[in-house]
Amino acid sequence: AQSVTQLDSHVSVSEGTPVLLRCNYSSSYSPSLFWYVQHPNKGLQLLLKYTSAATLVKGINGFEAEFKKSETSFHLTKPSAHMSDAAEYFCVVSRSGGYNKLIFGAGTRLAVHP
Amino acid sequence: DTAVSQTPKYLVTQMGNDKSIKCEQNLGHDTMYWYKQDSKKFLKIMFSYNNKELIINETVPNRFSPKSPDKAHLNLHINSLELGDSAVYFCASSQFGTGGENTIYFGEGSWLTVV
């Protein structure tokens, strides 16, 4: 069985400071991992994905994530937060070799203060 | 051009009614999905169709019936609506693939409120 755990339900940062959103995964198979973002009353947008290539993955809007198999983690980072980054972020796992079925984490609400 | 579009965006209806949400994608994908997001923002897959054939069917009440007239459309019909059906329903599409190599694109969601 696969699952993801987002370790923080809420994260609050000041504009211009680094962002760290934590995600641990559990998978019996080689996983594919994703981060999606959902702005208020909007759909889901893919930020980045890991599919067994480079372990450091760069995404849109300056976000990146590092796949660490030994720690079963896939934390999302950004060097400098912008007000427009305020949104809900979902860590997602999909089983490699199976149907394209996404398992979502519970989400982390990122607040960015001036 | 909207890649995955779903209608209506907002729907308020009474318990016991039957309603449909329509979804269309213009990305040329062969696989479409319905996801449900509950009031706590938790997202879970409901169904997936590949070339009009059902390939994923999670534990969903049989009041929910997806229909795929062609690979560009996947509609969701809900019979005898209940209060607990209130949620945001997301349509999505991708190319068929095993694992995560094919990105799944989501629509903007349909907010269903049952009163």
Side-chain angles (χ1 to χ4, degrees), chain B residues 14-25:
Chain B
Q14 290 188 326
M15 276 194 305
N17 284 350
D18 303 337
K19 291 293 177 186
S20 292
I21 306 172
K22 295 185 177 182
C23 180
E24 175 182 7
Q25 54 92 5

Side-chain angles (χ1 to χ4, degrees), chain A residues 56-67:
Chain A
L56 182 62
V57 182
K58 294 188 184 298
I60 62 171
N61 301 335
F63 284 95
E64 62 181 38
E66 186 171 7
F67 173 73

Side-chain angles (χ1 to χ4, degrees), chain A residues 4-108:
Chain A
V4 286
T5 302
Q6 293 184 242
L7 299 169
D8 308 290
S9 58
H10 291 85
V11 170
S12 183
V13 300
S14 298
E15 191 174 21
T17 64
V19 175
L20 170 64
L21 305 183
R22 299 182 296 164
C23 173
N24 285 2
Y25 71 91
S26 172
S27 178
S28 303
Y29 304 91
S30 177
S32 294
L33 292 157
F34 312 79
W35 278 96
Y36 278 84
V37 60
Q38 183 180 24
H39 287 93
N41 296 327
K42 293 290 186 182
L44 293 153
Q45 181 182 24
L46 179 69
L47 277 179
L48 50 82
K49 68 178 182 180
Y50 165 79
T51 54
S52 74
T55 56
L56 182 62
V57 182
K58 294 188 184 298
I60 62 171
N61 301 335
F63 284 95
E64 62 181 38
E66 186 171 7
F67 173 73
K68 292 187 176 180
K69 186 175 181 179
S70 61
E71 299 176 11
T72 61
S73 69
F74 190 58
H75 302 333
L76 182 70
T77 60
K78 183 174 180 178
S80 175
H82 192 272
M83 296 295 289
S84 61
D85 294 329
E88 190 89 22
Y89 291 79
F90 293 95
C91 183
V92 183
V93 65
S94 175
R95 169 185 163 181
S96 290
Y99 286 131
N100 211 359
K101 174 178 160 182
L102 302 182
I103 308 296
F104 281 78
T108 297

